[in-house]
Amino acid sequence: MEKNRLYEDSSKCCGCFACKDACPKDAITIRATEAGFLYPKIDTAKCVNCGLCIRICGYKKGNDGNKPEEVFAAASKSNAILSAAASGGIFSVMAREFVNNGGVVCGSAMFRTETGFIVRHSFADNENELKKLAGSKYVKSATDGVFREAEEILRSGKSLLFSGTPCQVAALKSFLRKDYDNLTTVDLICHGVPSLQLFNDYILFYEKKHSCTVMDLIFRDKSRGQGMNCRITEKSGEKTRVKVMDGRLSSYFGMFLKGSVYRENCYSCPYASEKRGADITLGDYWGIYQEHAGEVTKAGLDNRKGISCVLINTGKGADLWQRVSEDILCFHSKLEKVAAHNDRLSTPSSKPADREHVMKSYILNGYESVDEIYSKEIQIKKYRYILEFHMPKTVKRTLKRILSTQA
Ligand SMILES: Cc1cc2nc3c(=O)[nH]c(=O)nc-3n(C[C@H](O)[C@H](O)[C@H](O)COP(=O)(O)OP(=O)(O)OC[C@H]3O[C@@H](n4cnc5c(N)ncnc54)[C@H](O)[C@@H]3O)c2cc1C
């Protein structure tokens, strides 16, 4: 590879910026593509060609993870944790264990600012601060600067729980260049991330359409059970309104779920595999009733509140799992059972045929055109989504049962 070239093409960079954190001359800057995806760029005036940025790249090293040793279906015993979490709230249970024993937790947080939302990894050392880390944010979470701070914490002897996408965990480990006994890592089963710019453009579009300001957005609302509903807190004049909607009715969520708006490297992600680089892996336990019909209620779990799949990948992971066992409800499962409903444990998301068209259209004509494409695509289905969303759960379940016996 030629000197000063950080990555071969856009599919070979996950945008973690470990290279930026590692550079002793602060010679790496951030550049954004027109679609808002961030990439590192070398400032040749400052660069001394030491090559550390290239050697440090975790993404280049690929996936050297382990196959899980044990697999569980699990959820927090606390309803408060469950309602703020994307699935079973296992992340928050583990995070509490750390901060209540003098440790620090690093995970993704989302903030509203005057100019839009910021999604970036932040640190927390008490239960109150942990609240900002709860829940999935379906956007790229920025990590520049985070690896340096994590290293300082580890060097100070404090224990650190780092949680993120598999590429972010690989980036941290590669940045550190040595194992730390006081570091525990958690990664998510991940299907890909859109850019923060696209998300903020969606917010602007939404605000214009509904004449409001979006104060808050929760990607996974559970007031109607576990699923892909989002919750938007909007303000217009003096009035504040909380709106829950089926994610499939929003062009941002719809395009996210379909996979049309991910960062380029997500479509060839080396970490979408059973081999896991973190001590523990968390995901949604899709298909739990098919795999464990009798055990769910027996164990006191309830999928309307959220159930996670938990993969214990290392001894350190097993040790943490043991430490939080009193605060969770769980039972043993198998990797094959989880993977049967979660393709991201075997292959990266495939790139939909319309991905280039959607992104080009976004760049040329703005977010409105993305919304138009999506609206055309779902057409009549929109009414089905609305109907399903408003239908009482009992009716929905009965209908599903009837339809499955007809099939
Ligand atoms: C972009 C993305 C894609 C996902 N895709 C899948 C999938 O295909 N299949 C599946 O089973 N599960 C997927 N998940 C994981 C799932 O949504 C839950 O996060 C997971 O089950 C853990 O839930 P929890 O209830 O234990 O904790 P939660 O409280 O929901 O987890 C919170 C923690 O997750 C991490 N996190 C949240 N958002 C981000 C982000 N944008 N970037 C990095 N880290 C983040 C943070 O550290 C955060 O603090 C995905 C999550 C994200 C963020």
Side-chain angles (χ1 to χ4, degrees):
M1 193 185 300
E2 75 187 57
K3 254 186 191 172
N4 288 338
R5 190 140 169 229
L6 281 166
Y7 52 90
E8 287 154 56
D9 59 66
S10 56
S11 72
K12 302 282 190 310
C13 172
C14 67
C16 67
F17 291 97
C19 53
K20 183 175 186 297
D21 273 16
C23 178
K25 297 290 172 194
D26 284 330
I28 294 180
T29 55
I30 299 176
R31 81 174 170 88
T33 65
E34 286 169 297
F37 293 112
L38 307 181
Y39 287 88
K41 184 172 187 273
I42 295 177
D43 176 348
T44 46
K46 286 186 182 170
C47 177
V48 290
N49 285 320
C50 70
L52 185 58
C53 52
I54 292 164
R55 290 198 303 280
I56 211 90
C57 178
Y59 209 71
K60 271 193 195 71
K61 290 177 192 154
N63 184 351
D64 63 352
N66 305 316
K67 255 191 126 173
E69 293 169 6
E70 276 188 294
V71 176
F72 293 90
S76 164
K77 285 182 182 171
S78 152
N79 281 333
I81 286 184
L82 277 172
S83 69
S87 61
I90 302 301
F91 163 74
S92 291
V93 172
M94 297 192 298
R96 273 190 185 196
E97 155 70 18
F98 269 72
V99 298
N100 290 336
N101 288 291
V104 180
V105 177
C106 180
S108 174
M110 187 161 108
F111 308 92
R112 171 82 218 199
T113 67
E114 292 247 306
T115 51
F117 284 92
I118 288 178
V119 180
R120 85 162 11 256
H121 268 54
S122 305
F123 293 83
D125 63 5
N126 60 64
E127 282 202 21
N128 197 34
E129 281 183 21
L130 274 186
K131 287 181 193 153
K132 68 184 180 206
L133 306 186
S136 285
K137 293 93 192 169
Y138 293 132
V139 195
K140 175 82 187 164
S141 181
T143 43
D144 56 291
V146 164
F147 305 110
R148 282 186 186 179
E149 203 171 333
E151 187 176 46
E152 270 173 39
I153 292 166
L154 291 167
R155 281 187 178 158
S156 77
K158 283 191 179 166
S159 57
L160 175 69
L161 177 72
F162 180 90
S163 141
T165 56
C167 54
Q168 290 167 335
V169 170
L172 173 68
K173 287 182 151 189
S174 188
F175 173 86
L176 293 171
R177 283 182 288 171
K178 67 171 213 168
D179 291 336
Y180 282 84
D181 286 344
N182 49 341
L183 170 68
T184 307
T185 54
V186 173
D187 67 7
L188 308 167
I189 302 174
C190 175
H191 48 241
V193 283
S195 74
L196 180 64
Q197 177 186 300
L198 182 87
F199 176 65
N200 275 324
D201 282 346
Y202 162 68
I203 296 294
L204 283 174
F205 169 81
Y206 181 97
E207 290 180 337
K208 203 167 145 197
K209 187 170 168 189
H210 298 278
S211 309
C212 68
T213 306
V214 174
M215 308 303 290
D216 192 20
L217 190 147
I218 304 293
F219 289 84
R220 297 276 294 271
D221 176 82
K222 290 188 186 156
S223 56
R224 286 165 175 263
Q226 160 97 321
M228 284 296 173
N229 295 334
C230 63
R231 183 167 82 229
I232 297 180
T233 306
E234 52 183 61
K235 197 169 182 217
S236 43
E238 292 303 301
K239 269 197 194 144
T240 302
R241 195 163 91 112
V242 176
K243 202 153 105 187
V244 176
M245 67 169 162
D246 186 323
R248 295 171 301 178
L249 290 168
S250 138
S251 50
Y252 179 83
F253 288 88
M255 288 292 190
F256 170 75
L257 292 172
K258 219 180 115 213
S260 298
V261 288
Y262 300 156
R263 195 180 163 92
E264 186 60 47
N265 65 287
C266 299
Y267 302 107
S268 53
C269 175
Y271 309 107
S273 154
E274 290 182 349
K275 276 168 61 196
R276 310 304 300 180
D279 297 303
I280 290 186
T281 296
L282 299 176
D284 300 314
Y285 203 138
W286 301 121
I288 190 156
Y289 287 110
Q290 277 130 285
E291 300 297 340
H292 294 283
E295 287 147 281
V296 179
T297 1
K298 217 159 63 189
L301 294 166
D302 181 349
N303 205 28
R304 285 166 301 182
K305 294 181 180 176
I307 302 176
S308 295
C309 57
V310 183
L311 318 184
I312 311 291
N313 308 319
T314 64
K316 210 187 252 185
D319 177 56
L320 172 57
W321 191 238
Q322 184 59 37
R323 290 191 335 251
V324 297
S325 59
E326 294 221 327
D327 298 322
I328 49 175
L329 299 166
C330 71
F331 61 84
H332 265 103
S333 181
K334 285 202 165 84
L335 186 61
E336 307 82 78
K337 288 184 185 284
V338 174
H341 306 272
N342 218 321
D343 291 345
R344 299 299 76 77
L345 283 172
S346 53
T347 48
S349 294
S350 47
K351 195 190 277 192
D354 72 350
R355 201 257 179 191
E356 300 312 329
H357 169 59
V358 172
M359 295 315 289
K360 254 193 202 141
S361 186
Y362 167 57
I363 291 165
L364 292 174
N365 308 311
Y367 191 85
E368 284 79 359
S369 66
V370 176
D371 190 77
E372 258 169 45
I373 296 171
Y374 187 70
S375 302
K376 271 192 203 140
E377 211 177 278
I378 62 166
Q379 283 185 21
I380 202 92
K381 278 192 215 148
K382 180 178 164 183
Y383 301 101
R384 196 188 92 203
Y385 298 156
I386 295 173
L387 203 69
E388 278 178 7
F389 181 75
H390 290 286
M391 199 183 280
K393 285 265 168 193
T394 43
V395 179
K396 217 189 281 181
R397 249 178 267 142
T398 315
L399 262 179
K400 255 192 192 161
R401 211 167 326 132
I402 294 168
L403 288 174
S404 68
T405 53
Q406 305 282 305

